[in-house]
Amino acid sequence: MKKAVKTELFASKAPLEWAVIANGQLSTAQIPIDAEGKVVEGGIEAQARQTMENFKHTIEAAELTMADVTQVLIYVTDRDQLPVFNKVYADYFEAPYPNRAAMIVAGLAREEMLCEIVAYAAVPQ
């Protein structure tokens, strides 16, 4: 049985939950949007920070910590953005770090988005 995690993030009009818990695992995808659902301006650093803040908020809404995160998949739209995203990302984790993969993609759901993450966290039973 899956359970939606209630957050204070912008309520999307798309048929989605910001996070769900099922089988002892939280699954989430996060994007660089503000409280009004607008993609933040300011380039990759601002978007990476907003994405990670949204992610941290979601983890905490599930009554977990960033130490519970087991895997993160990072998507950026340009290879040059990855070092900037990595710098922001490092502010949110301590060793032992989650498993991670990074992909450079041609585009994301919203044209102005430069990054997105998909992540998983262990949920104590």
Side-chain angles (χ1 to χ4, degrees):
M1 172 169 252
K2 71 181 173 188
K3 175 183 122 183
V5 175
K6 296 302 174 200
T7 70
E8 294 180 17
L9 299 176
F10 177 77
S12 177
K13 293 176 180 125
L16 63 82
E17 299 291 346
W18 285 117
V20 295
I21 294 174
N23 301 317
Q25 177 178 277
L26 175 135
S27 302
T28 186
Q30 297 294 325
I31 59 176
I33 59 171
D34 62 18
E36 282 114 37
K38 295 183 175 139
V39 175
V40 297
E41 296 180 1
I44 186 60
E45 186 167 358
Q47 287 197 17
R49 180 82 50 203
Q50 185 68 54
T51 299
M52 292 304 295
E53 282 297 313
N54 291 348
F55 178 43
K56 184 173 186 240
H57 167 79
T58 300
I59 291 293
E60 291 171 352
E63 299 181 356
L64 300 173
T65 71
M66 296 299 275
D68 295 312
V69 177
T70 58
Q71 185 174 48
V72 179
L73 308 175
I74 299 168
Y75 300 88
V76 294
T77 58
D78 189 284
R79 190 171 310 279
D80 293 338
Q81 297 164 343
L82 196 51
V84 178
F85 195 102
N86 283 339
K87 183 179 174 214
V88 172
Y89 178 93
D91 291 340
Y92 291 84
F93 292 105
E94 296 177 359
Y97 300 102
N99 173 264
R100 198 185 94 165
M103 280 102 4
I104 290 67
V105 297
L108 295 163
R110 294 192 192 180
E111 186 176 356
E112 64 274 28
M113 284 180 13
L114 304 174
C115 61
E116 182 169 355
I117 65 168
V118 173
Y120 307 93
V123 177
Q125 303 255 348

